[in-house]
Amino acid sequence: MSLQNEEMDVVLKIKRYSPEKGYWWQEYKLKVDRFTQFTEALRRIKSEQDPTLAYRASCHMAVCGSCGMKINGEPRLACKTLVMDMAKKYGSNVITIEPMDYFKPVKDLIVDLDEFYQRMYKVKPRLYPHKDVLEGIVEQRLKPEDQRELWKFAQCIWCGLCVSACPVVVIDQQFLGPAAHAKGYRFLADPRDTITEERMKILIDSSWRCTYCYQCFNVCPRDIEPVTAIKKTRAYTRLAKEKTSVTQTGEKHIEAIFNSLLESGKLEEAKVYLSTYGLLGSIKDFIYLFQSGKVKYALVKEKPVENISEIRKILTGDNK
Amino acid sequence: MEKVSYDVVIVGAGLAGLMAAHEVASAGYNVAVISKVFPTRSHSAAAEGGIAAYIQGNSDPNDNPDYMTYDTVKGGDYLVDQDAAELLAYKSGEIVMLLERWGALFNRQPDGRVAVRYFGGQTYPRTRFVGDKTGMALLHTVYERTSGLGSVDFYFEWFAWELVEDDNRIRGIIAFDMRNMVPVFFKAKAVVIASGGMGMLYRHTTNSYINTGDGYAMALRAGAALKDPEFVQFHPTALYPSDILISEAARGEGAVLRNVKGERFMARYAPKKLDLAPRDIVSRAILTEVKEGRGFPGGYVGLDLTHLGEDYIKERLALAYEAAKSFAGIDATKEMIPVRPAQHYYMGGVDVDITGRNPDLIGLFAAGEAACVSVHGANRLGSNSLLETLVFGRETGRTVVEFLKSYTEPSSDIDKEAEKMIDSAYDVVKSESGVHFGEILEKLRDTMWDYVGVFRDENGLKTALSEIMKLREDMKKMYVLDKSKVYNTEFYNALELKNMLDLALVIATSALNRKESRGAHYRLDFPERDDQNWLKHTIAYLRGNSVEITYKPVKMTKWKPEVRVY
């Protein structure tokens, strides 16, 4: 147990906001030690220097999800981040704190999360067990390995950081967002749940709207990997009875990638594009390529990689 | 003044409040839940180790609810109302299985049934758990369930300020919408206080920043009593120096406390139960080691998990591992975790019987940490608080439903009274200049820690009382710098401080009054338990600047007091 303490003078530059004055930056100087969390730094500013500063914080141990904000541009929980760690990481004792992106500002570091909560409610975030279970007539059991799998995705603390970092929620209203997908998958995959059909209807189309940019994976303070939940939700597509055009395009895209790899061991993007969107769907883009003189890249004929038979064995599961 | 009407208003959206709301709403009544935070941010989320339950057919074959009651009674140093402890034990299995049916992801045995682990003070292991984030898992389950009912209105990020009462009868509550400062009179036939604890009164606490004792103060000002307000629990293993809780589950899973010499010092204080002795005993043991020079520099001891193995630690004690890593830079698989005691739980609370009903005010109910039923007596056993929130949240909800069935509308008008209470909020911060809340708050937290903490004596408590009186005077000069109408957190912090000062006065006075040592209330000048004079509940009323104390007998059923050794 080697607790090395040290102290440091830092400047916290906080981006403030009020409906009357708009945005402004304000600087606070304070001394921190090796163990000072940003929530504690903010609490000290508020009680010792400037009581007008507004922010949210509650548990200071990363389970309540109140204190999401941007620290030196990184979406983080303030409680789970030590001031000195950020100063060292960026080699500067001047650190910026801003409200989370995407959400409407209310005051200083407080943003309006109503829209975020609406996203969470859309996935029906609760178990719908069998009637007999609910009435206590039969007991339900859960395998330890199922518990572990579900618990990973159930640990979402509704902090909103992943949604604030997601580029798709900004442009696609139909995309439920990473947190809602993690929550949705947690119930979709629960063997005790009875509304699987309805959940697939809610989740599958949306799951194909994710671009796999991994921002949610990077910022989640609970290491939930919402993007993994989205991938796992896509695997349910083959069980879905009705498929939207987004879902169908997604399936075609996967099939095209598979075929491209099977054929050449390479990802032939032009071919994949053509198979996914069809000749008619691609025509506009090809005209654009033609006009910009890039069509030659699209027409490159790839030679199969050397050990293509090995790749085919892996892809088809044929190990004979 | 804006007005809304509900059958029931519940203050607090943690486990107790949500469970009560679920019960009342399911019976067809309309319910408003008022909370300073979005429900899943409630302090219930911070509970770690687990929830105690005797489950028929899924417990140690030698165990039974009577043993569970006995452990609770003994753990609480015989100040426990035994009928309440019996109810808690007998309903424990049922409530855990209800949560299981609602989808709570309890850790499992290989056969798929709910798993179990040991906790301090238990004769047989009976703690059910979800890793070491049990509170968070249960809170999300109950919130998701309750919000799915559709018949409960959640007023989150609203600040409940005063109970409106008329002729000893609850008529509603005044609350502010924090977003725009608009005060609203919530007219209600019944109010349930389920607003949790008060850790922020202490310099060192494992509690959330929101735990400022609002519910206790609100009840006190309306004329209701607190029961056993002197009993404040300190958790022995808070991470040094951030005071983040390192769950008792760590010791339940086999972790050992060591002093600077590497000795397993609990052998001196609780030779049989060792590190799994109840919290009051372990807290005093740690501070005694430190005081006698066997702690680490800075004043802490080590919690040794290293022999448990990396995989086991990371699965069953994930949060402890993560907290040590993130907040102290310690790898718990290789090194000891630095720990010391910090305020953790409040055994005292709004005086209620086992149905959740307060005897002073008609229509006032309380549940969870805000209430004193009393199932914890002088010291709460680990895993009993989550259990209490759910069992008594539900019991209280059921009592409220019964109360509403025979409710008759009073004729008097109380709108004027409500107007006055809104003005009283602005009175707290009336000055144009003077002091702001932070100056008073920091002094209060130090005073409570230094003189109303783990060890107490007459001189210290008198010092605390005179300091608290001075701070109450200073508060009259309190002002608010932030004049904005939008999310003015300074204004609410000032109101919270008023609540904290009301409560602090009651705690310190009651602690000075009780001249014995029992459970978490340890008097250096009266180190022995004194059943002859003090086997009784303190009942404390706030009368302006003074505290009026009366007593209530402890309810005994089967267990006679015996010497408490572990």
Side-chain angles (χ1 to χ4, degrees), chain A residues 1 40 46 56 58 60-61 64 66 79 107 121 125-126 133 147 155 157-158 183 186 192 222, chain B residues 41 48 100-101 103 105 112 133 143-144 157 207-209 296 322 327 436 442 482 486 489 493:
Chain A
M1 186 171 34
E40 195 52 26
K46 192 164 173 66
R56 290 190 182 102
S58 182
H60 59 76
M61 52 188 269
C64 82
S66 297
C79 69
K107 177 161 180 174
Y121 299 141
R126 62 195 67 87
V133 168
Q147 190 271 348
Q155 291 190 54
I157 52 175
W158 299 43
K183 190 54 92 177
R186 173 257 171 278
R192 303 170 299 177
R222 291 249 62 96
Chain B
R41 325 245 185 263
E48 297 180 16
E100 196 283 332
R101 296 202 288 273
L105 288 168
K133 298 195 196 84
Y143 172 63
E144 289 164 3
E157 303 194 340
N207 281 193
S208 300
Y209 293 124
F296 288 85
E322 178 192 305
F327 304 121
H436 68 72
E442 301 305 317
D482 189 349
V486 179
T489 50
N493 287 153

